[in-house]
Amino acid sequence: MPDTNSTSARDLIKDLGALLGEVIKDQHGDALFDAIESIRSESVREYRGQAPRGATDSLLDGLELDETLVFIHGFCVFSQLANLADDYVSRTQAVRQDPLALLNARPDLTLEHVSDVLAKMVIAPILTAHPTEVRRKSVLDREAAISDTLESRIDLVDGRDLRTERLRREIRLLWQTRVLRGERIEVADEIANVASVLGRSFLKEMPNLIRRLERRLGKELPGILRVGSWVGGDRDGNPFVNAQTLTHAVMSHATLLLGSFLEELHQLGSELSISTELTAVSPDLARLAEAGHDTSPHRADEPYRQAIRGIYARLAATYQAITKKPPSRPTDLDALAYQSPHELVADLEIVGASLRTHAAGDVADGRLARLVTGVKVFGFHFAQMELRQNSDVHERTIGELLAAAGIETNYASLTEEARIEILCAQWRSPRNLTTPYANYGAETLKELEVFWQAGAIRTAVGGEVLRRVIVSKTDSVSDLLEVGLLLKEGGLFALSPDPSPQIAIAPLFETIADLQASEAIMRTWLTLPEVARARAVTNPVQEVMIGYSDSNKDGGYLTANWEVRGAIGRLVALGKELGVTMRFFHGRGGSIGRGGGSSRDAIAALPAGSIESGLSVTEQGEVISSKYGHPDSARVSLETLIGASLEAAVHPIDQMQEEILHRIMPRLSDLAFKAYRSLVYDTPDFSRYFHQSTPLKEIVDLKIGSRPAARTASGRIEDLRAIPWVFSWSQARVNLPGWYGFGSAISSYQAESGTSAADELKALYQSSPYFANLVSNIEMVMAKANLDIARRYSELVDDQDMAKAIFARIEAEWHKTLEALKFVTGRVELVGNNPALARSISLRMPYLDPLNLLQIKLIQQLRAGPEEAQAETVKKGIQLTINGISAGLRNTG
């Protein structure tokens, strides 16, 4: 095993693969290992053009069904190990990120100016449970153990490399850990997965980063970073999320956080052995010490320990009041619970002030300062929970409440103007809509219970625990007013000095039409007298969520990206016109087709003025593990978010570049939209083609998430969720949502514009961060696709005449897009400007292609109706290939 502190990813992958080979030999013998190795080497040769196309197929055909499963498992685990190696090398060899690096590059920027810019920002990764993470938590735990072993020192004893032995042992455990879930994952499992990441990475890395920034800038910035979660509160299309899951999520986070704070206090008490025989203390510290009621003669001269004892007792009482259970390390001192995190901070700062004024400032800046920052950042709740629901559900709920209250019997039939009038009147009214005498339906009761419970949680844990309600499918102002009334029913409404919701109401604009209408909707909303008065009282910032997933499914990648940018730009201008600060929440997925890609490049591509108050961004599926699963990765990810946001906020606006962009992109967007819609929505039987040429059904059966794959059982693409839409295309190696329409747009624009198009488009690629990022993302998804394998998937369709006609259109657009990329970038090779990515892709593809070929073969067997005894084994094989392909591609859904 080489020294992993200096090895390359390729070398480390090779060594981990060799250890995996030893494990496979031990369990399955040399013969099967040799067969697997032959297929591996032949696939590599075929990928490099050293073997004829199809050479791997015959070797795969020679495997028996049970051997096929071992082979698939082997390639799955290899891809997992390759990911761990890549991540480890990236962590250890990357130059430490400096979020304030701009200060060195821009002499015109001062510490004071940067401090002022950052002080206005709130930057928040929001963890969600969208089901693109196919790995079980047990598998994630095993991967974490391997990752931790890679971090350990080389340990040679009697000539034996103990670290290599530990790695072999951990790889064996991974190999023998069941990959597939036996039962569908439940919301409680998703909550546990998020809590695990919060505890492993965010708990220390977020406060540490904030303290680094504060020391550098000489200014407190406790509000710059927040972490949020949808898991347990996101009801949109998920019937299993309710008031109980919301409570469970909040209590899970609070239990983890407060338990950690108690442990830190215990350690701090052990650390602060300072004696009054050697130094004095402040009067405030003396009072805290007295409140600790410590009668031990051994600590009679140790006031800091006495003070910590009292603080610990109060926090232990807080723990019990919130979680309804005693802490793991109880105290014999009765004390009042803290009413807010501010009270705990005040006590801790008394300790710190005393230390600093009595020659122990460096002691105060250690564990104590980290704890203070942690309390300021996380409060008593840890992750801020968010509520999300579809506007249609809110509409039905309010309609039933209005009818039961005798106000309006047919709310659904009203015009938008009439709805606004009724809702504003109820907004102003001091009375609630609900009555104990009504017999509400199940859906209405479920919604009411969520808001009632949200009010109770906020009272118990603190106001910051619930910070906003997101309204999916917002297409009218009434969609937002309805939520205001539901907050009012939950006691989350202040009635004086003006009626105002105590939780932010954030619209989510998702489809192309909704993005285009967003400015008009928000203008009406922000200028409603009730809303304007409420905002002035409680929340001067208007938050808006922008959906990258459904807009892509609706209009294709290029159009969705342009409409997203256009909507943000128009809303920024609206905010400036009305004197309203706008903050945007970017609903990105892991895949390019759902807004994924480089965070730094994506932030740099945002319109001017859209980042000044910070941003939120969803982190979901396998992205959570890769970006935040390890503390070092989390640190780099958070540093990148801050650094990129700062750069975007202070970057000068290039008006000429913006003019060129707004002259060219609308036409490109229109052309791409027509090409995409023509294929996906206007082609007869395209939905049938999609369902049969991808493993959609098998993905749905994989039990990887609690949320149903579709909003209805119609089978229409419009009703399918964006995640399985993108996930299925990536498994079939088409990646269609990430590129289709770009080639037609560029070629048609060239034909219309003549010779000037070449110079314009190439100049735009060189000068515009937005256009460069768009093109770079298309390059990446094209590089991970494989048209030959995609053709094999099209052979799964029962109507081959239809399938060949549709695939011919996909193939034609593919070649147009390749030519367009070469034309715009001036490069022959895809991702030629990113050697590290190109090497990673070339290393992984030979391991993915056989998995795809076996997936096709097994799907054919399953659809042909195998014998009952084999059916479950075939299904298992398909599901294992889904895991393996996902691991190899990494950003799949």
Side-chain angles (χ1 to χ4, degrees):
M1 192 78 189
D3 180 357
T4 49
N5 290 322
S6 59
T7 190
S8 68
R10 181 180 291 274
D11 290 339
L12 185 54
I13 290 170
K14 179 180 177 181
D15 291 319
L16 293 176
L19 293 176
L20 174 61
E22 294 175 18
V23 168
I24 294 173
K25 278 184 184 181
D26 289 345
Q27 185 162 340
H28 298 281
D30 289 347
L32 183 54
F33 170 79
D34 291 341
I36 293 173
E37 180 60 19
S38 296
I39 296 170
R40 184 201 66 80
S41 59
E42 192 68 7
S43 180
V44 171
R45 292 181 64 243
E46 186 176 345
Y47 180 80
R48 294 174 178 171
Q50 299 167 350
R53 183 174 295 179
T56 310
D57 290 50
S58 59
L59 295 177
L60 294 172
D61 290 339
L63 294 173
E64 298 294 335
L65 185 56
D66 58 341
E67 295 174 330
T68 296
L69 262 61
V70 176
F71 173 85
I72 295 170
H73 189 194
F75 271 38
C76 286
V77 173
F78 176 83
S79 291
Q80 291 168 280
L81 295 176
N83 292 343
L84 294 174
D86 273 346
D87 291 344
Y88 171 79
V89 172
S90 295
R91 289 195 305 271
T92 55
Q93 295 187 356
V95 177
R96 188 178 182 92
Q97 299 289 306
D98 180 6
L100 304 179
L102 201 63
L103 282 168
N104 300 323
R106 292 270 304 274
D108 57 311
L109 295 178
T110 64
L111 278 174
E112 292 74 18
H113 178 57
V114 169
S115 297
D116 291 342
V117 170
L118 291 177
K120 297 174 185 176
M121 290 186 177
V122 177
I123 298 170
I126 310 297
L127 309 184
T128 78
H130 287 2
T132 58
E133 174 57 90
V134 297
R135 293 167 294 179
R136 296 173 60 221
K137 185 175 184 300
S138 296
V139 173
L140 292 171
D141 290 343
R142 299 274 55 78
E143 290 182 359
I146 294 171
S147 183
D148 289 343
T149 305
L150 288 172
E151 303 276 359
S152 63
R153 295 170 52 252
I154 292 178
D155 193 359
L156 296 175
V157 177
D158 297 330
R160 294 164 52 211
D161 183 349
L162 297 187
R163 183 173 61 172
T164 297
E165 292 183 8
R166 288 197 297 272
L167 277 171
R168 184 188 295 106
R169 183 164 57 248
E170 294 297 346
I171 291 172
R172 192 182 308 280
L173 286 169
L174 175 62
W175 176 258
Q176 296 184 353
T177 296
R178 175 168 49 85
V179 174
L180 302 175
R181 295 183 177 92
E183 301 294 332
R184 181 168 294 281
I185 192 171
E186 297 181 349
V187 180
D189 301 313
E190 295 169 334
I191 292 169
N193 289 345
V194 166
S196 176
V197 175
L198 289 172
R200 177 171 167 82
S201 298
F202 284 92
L203 184 60
K204 291 185 178 179
E205 293 305 323
M206 190 172 277
N208 284 347
L209 176 54
I210 290 173
R211 291 190 68 239
R212 277 176 52 207
L213 289 172
E214 291 176 340
R215 286 196 299 269
R216 178 89 176 270
L217 297 173
K219 182 174 185 176
E220 281 204 9
L221 296 168
I224 189 172
L225 281 176
R226 289 290 183 266
V227 59
S229 175
W230 280 9
V231 186
D234 179 12
R235 307 181 309 289
D236 183 13
N238 193 336
F240 307 110
V241 176
N242 51 36
Q244 289 71 43
T245 62
L246 176 63
T247 302
H248 179 56
V250 171
M251 292 307 160
S252 295
H253 300 162
T255 300
L256 174 63
L257 179 72
L258 295 175
S260 170
F261 286 168
L262 285 169
E263 181 59 28
E264 283 297 296
L265 276 173
H266 176 72
Q267 297 297 330
L268 190 62
S270 299
E271 185 178 289
L272 296 182
S273 55
I274 297 172
S275 171
T276 51
E277 293 183 5
L278 300 170
T279 187
V281 299
S282 70
D284 286 340
L285 191 282
R287 284 192 289 271
L288 267 186
E290 185 178 348
H293 299 291
D294 192 342
T295 59
S296 171
H298 302 293
R299 293 186 293 272
D301 64 332
E302 297 174 343
Y304 287 102
R305 284 178 164 172
Q306 295 168 5
I308 294 299
R309 181 174 187 265
I311 296 171
Y312 184 98
R314 290 197 68 184
L315 188 59
T318 308
Y319 180 101
Q320 186 143 3
I322 291 175
T323 69
K324 309 305 180 189
K325 55 187 179 183
S328 58
R329 183 182 280 112
T331 176
D332 59 358
L333 177 62
D334 289 331
L336 293 175
Y338 287 110
Q339 295 303 300
S340 74
H342 303 294
E343 292 184 357
L344 172 58
V345 168
D347 281 354
L348 293 174
E349 287 184 336
I350 287 173
V351 177
S354 180
L355 288 168
R356 290 187 177 91
T357 54
H358 294 90
D362 52 352
V363 176
D365 289 336
R367 185 186 299 275
L368 175 63
R370 291 195 298 271
L371 178 57
V372 169
T373 303
V375 178
K376 288 180 178 179
V377 173
F378 299 127
F380 290 159
H381 56 273
F382 208 162
Q384 293 179 317
M385 285 299 300
E386 306 205 337
L387 304 178
R388 184 173 79 133
Q389 181 57 285
N390 192 288
S391 62
D392 291 341
V393 178
H394 294 149
E395 178 185 321
R396 292 193 294 270
T397 301
I398 290 296
E400 187 169 354
L401 295 182
L402 290 171
I407 297 170
E408 173 55 56
T409 58
N410 196 1
Y411 175 75
S413 67
L414 296 179
T415 64
E416 175 67 2
E417 291 74 15
R419 289 188 185 191
I420 291 174
E421 183 177 352
I422 288 176
L423 295 171
C424 285
Q426 296 308 309
W427 182 296
R428 295 188 300 268
S429 172
R431 295 184 298 275
N432 280 1
L433 285 172
T434 50
T435 168
Y437 304 107
N439 185 23
Y440 298 117
E443 181 181 66
T444 296
L445 278 176
K446 180 182 177 183
E447 286 301 299
L448 288 172
E449 286 169 358
V450 167
F451 285 94
W452 288 333
Q453 190 62 26
I457 286 171
R458 200 167 182 268
T459 299
V461 183
E464 289 295 307
V465 65
L466 292 166
R467 66 176 313 274
R468 64 185 159 206
V469 181
I470 296 155
V471 188
S472 297
K473 196 176 164 288
T474 298
D475 57 18
S476 66
V477 172
S478 61
D479 290 338
L480 305 178
L481 288 170
E482 288 160 2
V483 175
L485 297 190
L486 290 171
L487 288 171
K488 186 178 173 187
E489 295 300 320
L492 297 161
F493 217 80
L495 293 177
S496 63
D498 282 297
S500 55
Q502 295 174 313
I503 295 179
I505 300 173
L508 168 51
F509 298 111
E510 301 179 81
T511 66
I512 299 298
D514 291 345
L515 289 167
Q516 292 172 342
S518 60
E519 190 268 345
I521 292 169
M522 294 309 295
R523 179 180 293 277
T524 304
W525 164 256
L526 292 169
T527 54
L528 284 174
E530 292 79 5
V531 173
R533 285 194 296 267
R535 190 179 63 255
V537 171
T538 60
N539 190 5
V541 177
Q542 174 62 57
E543 302 198 59
V544 177
M545 184 170 181
I546 301 295
Y548 290 71
S549 302
D550 282 296
S551 57
N552 185 293
K553 184 163 71 73
D554 188 23
Y557 181 69
L558 189 151
T559 300
N561 272 265
W562 181 243
E563 291 296 344
V564 161
R565 193 178 195 274
I568 293 173
R570 292 189 294 273
L571 290 171
V572 168
L574 175 66
K576 290 181 178 178
E577 176 190 336
L578 299 179
V580 176
T581 300
M582 310 290 280
R583 182 179 297 138
F584 295 95
F585 182 0
H586 301 271
R588 298 180 178 276
S591 67
I592 299 304
R594 296 188 53 244
S598 163
S599 296
R600 181 176 292 280
D601 292 343
I603 292 172
L606 291 172
S610 65
I611 201 74
E612 292 171 0
S613 62
L615 81 166
S616 297
V617 59
T618 51
E619 305 284 17
Q620 53 194 251
E622 76 281 358
V623 174
I624 293 177
S625 298
S626 63
K627 291 176 69 173
Y628 301 102
H630 190 281
D632 288 346
S633 300
R635 173 182 53 77
V636 171
S637 297
L638 294 171
E639 289 169 342
T640 299
L641 281 176
I642 293 177
S645 298
L646 175 61
E647 289 180 27
V650 301
H651 194 275
I653 301 172
D654 187 334
Q655 294 293 353
M656 182 176 295
Q657 178 195 105
E658 286 295 308
E659 289 174 8
I660 296 172
L661 197 65
H662 282 83
R663 179 166 53 81
I664 294 176
M665 282 303 300
R667 184 56 183 154
L668 290 179
S669 174
D670 182 56
L671 292 167
F673 182 77
K674 289 177 180 176
Y676 177 84
R677 295 286 300 191
S678 174
L679 175 73
V680 175
Y681 293 102
D682 299 336
T683 299
D685 287 327
F686 185 81
S687 177
R688 181 179 163 200
Y689 175 87
F690 165 66
H691 280 78
Q692 293 186 12
S693 70
T694 71
L696 172 64
K697 183 181 183 302
E698 291 74 21
I699 289 170
V700 171
D701 291 340
L702 194 54
K703 306 179 180 69
I704 60 176
S706 64
R707 186 188 306 273
R711 294 179 173 89
T712 72
S714 69
R716 300 190 321 149
I717 291 172
E718 291 90 333
D719 295 327
L720 185 71
R721 291 196 170 278
I723 291 169
W725 166 254
V726 173
F727 202 173
S728 300
W729 284 119
S730 68
Q731 286 284 313
R733 302 293 295 282
V734 186
N735 290 346
L736 183 141
W739 58 269
Y740 197 93
F742 180 78
S744 287
I746 296 296
S747 61
S748 297
Y749 185 79
Q750 285 180 271
E752 293 174 357
S753 305
T755 55
S756 64
D759 293 338
E760 287 181 330
L761 290 169
K762 289 177 180 178
L764 194 63
Y765 175 72
Q766 294 296 329
S767 64
S768 168
Y770 164 77
F771 192 65
N773 182 57
L774 184 145
V775 170
S776 175
N777 286 338
I778 293 174
E779 278 193 276
M780 185 176 76
V781 293
M782 294 282 284
K784 291 186 177 184
N786 185 315
L787 204 62
D788 290 330
I789 286 179
R791 183 180 292 104
R792 298 282 290 271
Y793 277 92
S794 73
E795 294 169 4
L796 294 170
V797 180
D798 53 18
D799 183 343
Q800 275 298 291
D801 289 338
M802 175 267 286
K804 288 176 181 177
I806 290 177
F807 186 79
R809 294 178 63 183
I810 294 173
E811 185 174 24
E813 183 65 22
W814 167 272
H815 289 297
K816 281 185 182 179
T817 301
L818 279 178
E819 290 305 311
L821 289 171
K822 293 176 185 177
F823 170 75
V824 169
T825 66
R827 294 188 300 271
V828 175
E829 298 294 330
L830 291 172
V831 297
N833 63 332
N834 190 338
L837 177 60
R839 283 194 300 271
S840 178
I841 291 173
S842 67
L843 179 66
R844 292 164 184 275
M845 293 306 108
Y847 294 86
L848 291 185
D849 295 351
L851 290 178
N852 282 113
L853 296 174
L854 286 174
Q855 186 180 90
I856 294 166
K857 176 182 175 182
L858 292 170
I859 290 175
Q860 287 172 331
Q861 291 180 25
L862 185 64
R863 294 179 183 178
E867 295 179 7
E868 188 173 344
Q870 283 194 327
E872 289 305 313
T873 305
V874 172
K875 287 181 182 178
K876 181 179 179 181
I878 295 170
Q879 292 170 351
L880 285 171
T881 62
I882 293 171
N883 276 265
I885 294 166
S886 297
L889 293 174
R890 304 209 78 171
N891 49 355
T892 57

